[in-house]
Amino acid sequence: MRNAKGFSLIMIFLLLFQIAHSGLSFMAAAEGKQGIYQDSTKLLVENKSYDENSITWQVVINEAKQATEELSTTITFNNGQTHGSIEDSDDVDIEKTNQGYEITTPASQQTHKITLTTEITNNEQTEFNLLAETEFKDETIIAEETVEIVKEDSTAKEEFEQEAKTEEESTEEKSGDGEKDQATAEEPVKKDKGESNDNEHVNEDITDEVVEESHISFITPSVSTASPGVKSSSNWPSPGSLNLEKEEKSTSNFAEWEIELEVEGKDLQTSSDIVLVFDKSGSMNDRGRLPKAKQAAIDFTNIVLGEGSNARIALVEFSGEATMTQNFTGHQNKNILINRINSIRATGGTNIHAGLHQAKLLLNESDAEHKTIVLLSDGEPTYSLKAGGYEQPYSWPGNRYDFLLKDFDYSTRIGNGVVGNRPDYGWNRYRCGGIIFPRYCYDPHVNDHVIPTISEAKHIMDSGIDIFSVGLEVGNVQDAIYTLENSQNKGFYSGSEDDMEEIFEKIAASLTYAATEAVVTDPLGEMFDLVKDGSYNGENFEASHGIATWDESTETFEWDIGSIKEGETYTLKYKVTFDCEKDPEVNTKYPTNKETTMSYKDYTGSNATKNFPIPKVQIDEAQIKRVGYRVNVDGEPIDENGDVVSSWQDAKQFYDDIVTGLQPNQNHEIDAGDTPGGYVLHQDFTDPAIVNVANLVCNLALF
């Protein structure tokens, strides 16, 4: 024992000496430098990926594309790493040093991205650092990144899995909603009530109920530091922001422009910890629900934990009890989480209350900026945890309850797992004070497991944690719907097993993308018409994403984009021309559109709007439309049957063409077109016609 203590003291001394020596070395290195700055627009170090053997880094030089002289950038990695690979480039000079590289980039306004890999040489080390330094216009700019690699202990993993398996088997033996075990436990009830499952109501009151009060345990896990995030902002190109552009481009046709709307978004980079609370009660085995729910959860994981994500996801499973089966996991280890999801087996009752509480314990230990619970359940709660107090009055939707439960004994579970059973707190109005102390007599109101569950959710949301809830085939089960609707503040989604993938995608989008539920309303300007020439693959407009529709009566596009994620460019294209009936003038600018607005939910989940810029166009030439139409001997316009009509527009027309490129404020001679056989130009018309083009774009020459 004495030798062990002596060895520990020596190790502590050496560690302190190393830390002190490192600090002194850094101070000595920095002492002679003036003006040392960190500026990510000039120099940035990022970790792209890692595993237990290597780390891939990216050094970005001059991201802002400023004009620079030749730059020399020193890259240094700490002990525990050695040289791996580095991408070579024709215009970048790379020289290997003992502990890194010397990078020389030429004078230019270009951004240079250097990707390199370091090989890990110390398997016991968990923290690895890369530092870059450059002289940028007489300033010393530094940038660094640290990666923490926590290696999974196989022995601990096996012990954890064995413990979870033992706990699950124990739970199956104790709780209902299953098959053989449930039938035995619930026999006194089922003799009178018949078979039931999580999605069926027992309409009669249960008087001789079977009450199970058991003690359960929760894990208060150790949670590692959340990934550092970047603050979101509506200012482009900050994370969470949107960029809306609308531009016009002249086509080869006279007075015609193509209009293009363009939308881009930046994904959120705030640190975000999410707990997926997954119902594994026995009814999840019905009609193939479980496989579809698992796949939706996996798709959710792949979206949220995509490359570059600052989010992490933990998994809590619940039936009669709740178990954390995967702690917070980021992009690098998402396959571990996916394997955990795939291994979920369904059995037991429905203790949503316990699932929410276990998720809260996880998030209480998190230092992430955003904390979220995603709750999935397929039925009403059949268990809850025992409350020790209440607040009254408190109003719930529909005036279903007038109190809020609190002070829960989280070690005590109430209920027997049967749908419709009532909690029994073991009180009556005389033992708890009767008329003298009525505030303690709220047990007669706790007639279901809904009110304890939604009270727990209310306390969680009040603590700053967001909750989404998903009902899987809850149908018209009112207790299930009421529970899930009142256990969320970010959205309640309900659907069949075939809807789960789409629902989880929507939730993932709201946690990751800059905008969701985006719809653009784009009305044409007063002086313009839509060009309907079928030039977009037979259509008169083209949308790269979503669905665009045209309303002829209002001359307005509605473009339903949906979610907007980084790396995609969303476009809508169409063509416009002047509406000659509005008499547009030469050399006058007109807006191609009225106010064009995108309505959406922003990165906070709030309703928001953002307007597009509106292009203005003009033209410095005029056109004359030459029309030959049929008249009778008196010069009256007639149709193809020889009947007199009210205007030349309604008459039979022989030709209709346009002469373009004419100078304004001049007289122009326009020849008549070819006269069809059997017809001559009426005496009231001259050939050529003299047309005075003043300052109008559109002019007529009638024959």
Side-chain angles (χ1 to χ4, degrees), residues 152-178:
E152 190 171 12
D153 181 26
S154 59
T155 303
K157 178 181 177 182
E158 290 175 4
E159 291 176 354
F160 172 80
E161 289 177 344
Q162 182 60 40
E163 181 182 348
K165 182 178 179 182
T166 302
E167 182 178 351
E168 186 176 48
E169 291 172 351
S170 174
T171 302
E172 290 177 23
E173 292 174 1
K174 290 190 291 183
S175 59
D177 197 48

Side-chain angles (χ1 to χ4, degrees), residues 106 123 131 170 287-288 302 339 347-348 355 402 446 451 573 685 690:
N123 291 328
L131 176 72
S170 174
R287 295 184 296 277
N302 283 323
N339 289 337
T347 183
D402 63 356
V446 186
I451 180 61
K573 296 180 182 180
F685 295 82
I690 306 299

Side-chain angles (χ1 to χ4, degrees), residues 655-673:
Y655 51 84
D656 178 351
D657 54 30
I658 294 176
V659 180
T660 61
L662 304 175
Q663 293 299 312
N665 300 309
Q666 292 184 15
N667 290 331
H668 295 274
E669 292 185 353
I670 302 297
D671 294 329

Side-chain angles (χ1 to χ4, degrees), residues 332-603:
Q332 298 297 333
N333 296 311
K334 70 177 181 179
N335 285 335
I336 297 175
L337 174 60
I338 289 172
N339 289 337
R340 294 287 191 192
I341 295 170
N342 272 323
S343 66
I344 294 174
R345 293 188 300 122
T347 183
T350 306
N351 197 342
I352 299 174
H353 193 164
L356 290 172
H357 180 63
Q358 181 62 77
K360 180 186 177 183
L361 291 178
L362 268 164
L363 291 169
N364 283 348
E365 301 301 312
S366 166
D367 63 352
E369 295 172 86
H370 289 160
K371 303 178 183 182
T372 307
I373 293 172
V374 179
L375 167 65
L376 167 71
S377 181
D378 75 333
E380 64 190 79
T382 61
Y383 291 105
S384 61
L385 305 175
K386 190 173 185 178
Y390 71 105
E391 295 176 13
Q392 194 176 35
Y394 187 87
S395 178
W396 291 95
N399 296 317
R400 176 163 174 168
Y401 311 100
D402 63 356
F403 59 96
L404 173 71
L405 295 178
K406 63 179 183 179
D407 302 333
F408 290 100
D409 177 1
Y410 291 111
S411 66
T412 302
R413 183 183 71 185
I414 304 295
N416 60 17
V418 180
V419 170
N421 78 89
R422 294 179 178 179
D424 185 354
Y425 282 59
W427 298 338
N428 60 54
R429 64 187 305 106
Y430 301 104
R431 286 167 55 189
C432 64
I435 299 174
I436 300 175
F437 302 105
R439 69 181 184 275
Y440 296 110
C441 297
Y442 66 93
D443 179 47
H445 300 287
V446 186
N447 290 330
D448 54 42
H449 298 287
V450 175
I451 180 61
T453 303
I454 62 177
S455 294
E456 177 73 18
K458 175 69 168 58
H459 296 308
I460 291 173
M461 293 183 288
D462 286 347
S463 73
I465 295 171
D466 292 329
I467 304 180
F468 294 87
S469 67
V470 181
L472 172 54
E473 283 199 344
V474 293
N476 294 318
V477 183
Q478 294 307 308
D479 279 359
I481 295 171
Y482 194 89
T483 301
L484 295 171
E485 282 184 338
N486 291 282
S487 296
Q488 58 81 29
N489 58 353
K490 285 296 180 180
F492 165 58
Y493 301 84
S494 178
S496 69
E497 69 269 15
D498 292 327
D499 300 318
M500 289 299 104
E501 183 176 353
E502 181 181 355
I503 288 172
F504 272 83
E505 282 181 1
K506 287 181 179 179
I507 296 174
S510 67
L511 293 168
T512 306
Y513 301 154
T516 57
E517 300 179 25
V519 178
V520 175
T521 302
D522 181 17
L524 294 193
E526 292 287 353
M527 305 300 291
F528 293 89
D529 282 333
L530 180 68
V531 176
K532 302 174 183 177
D533 61 358
S535 57
Y536 297 98
N537 295 317
E539 301 293 333
N540 298 323
F541 50 88
E542 177 182 82
S544 64
H545 299 72
I547 299 174
T549 56
W550 166 253
D551 187 328
E552 184 69 36
S553 62
T554 61
E555 293 193 311
T556 299
F557 283 102
E558 183 169 284
W559 179 24
D560 187 347
I561 303 175
S563 299
I564 296 172
K565 63 180 179 179
E566 187 171 348
E568 297 277 354
T569 300
Y570 303 79
T571 60
L572 172 65
K573 296 180 182 180
Y574 56 88
K575 292 187 291 187
V576 297
T577 189
F578 278 131
D579 181 354
C580 285
E581 292 184 4
K582 301 292 178 63
D583 293 330
E585 296 184 351
V586 174
N587 293 320
T588 301
K589 286 190 174 182
Y590 296 102
T592 59
N593 304 81
K594 299 174 186 175
E595 184 176 80
T596 304
T597 302
M598 185 171 79
S599 303
Y600 61 99
K601 288 189 180 295
D602 66 12
Y603 60 87

Side-chain angles (χ1 to χ4, degrees), residues 14-117:
L14 290 174
L15 179 60
L16 291 172
F17 176 79
Q18 183 177 0
I19 293 171
H21 183 264
S22 300
L24 290 171
S25 300
F26 179 78
M27 290 172 62
E31 188 175 358
K33 293 186 179 292
Q34 299 294 325
I36 300 178
Y37 304 97
Q38 287 187 327
D39 187 342
S40 61
T41 66
K42 297 175 181 176
L43 187 62
L44 176 66
V45 175
E46 298 178 298
N47 165 239
K48 304 302 290 182
S49 64
Y50 64 84
D51 55 32
E52 293 187 358
N53 301 313
S54 64
I55 306 172
T56 300
W57 314 82
Q58 186 174 77
V59 179
V60 184
I61 303 170
N62 193 21
E63 187 167 28
K65 297 184 177 181
Q66 300 182 31
T68 68
E69 300 296 328
E70 182 181 273
L71 296 178
S72 179
T73 303
T74 302
I75 298 175
T76 308
F77 44 76
N78 68 342
N79 293 330
Q81 305 175 78
T82 188
H83 299 87
S85 61
I86 185 168
E87 288 184 2
D88 201 359
S89 177
D90 293 337
D91 59 345
V92 176
D93 183 41
I94 301 173
E95 183 178 350
K96 184 185 293 186
T97 63
N98 289 335
Q99 202 68 19
Y101 299 92
E102 193 73 22
I103 307 293
T104 303
T105 52
S108 69
Q109 288 183 270
Q110 292 183 347
T111 296
H112 296 278
K113 295 184 178 181
I114 313 298
T115 302
L116 64 139
T117 300

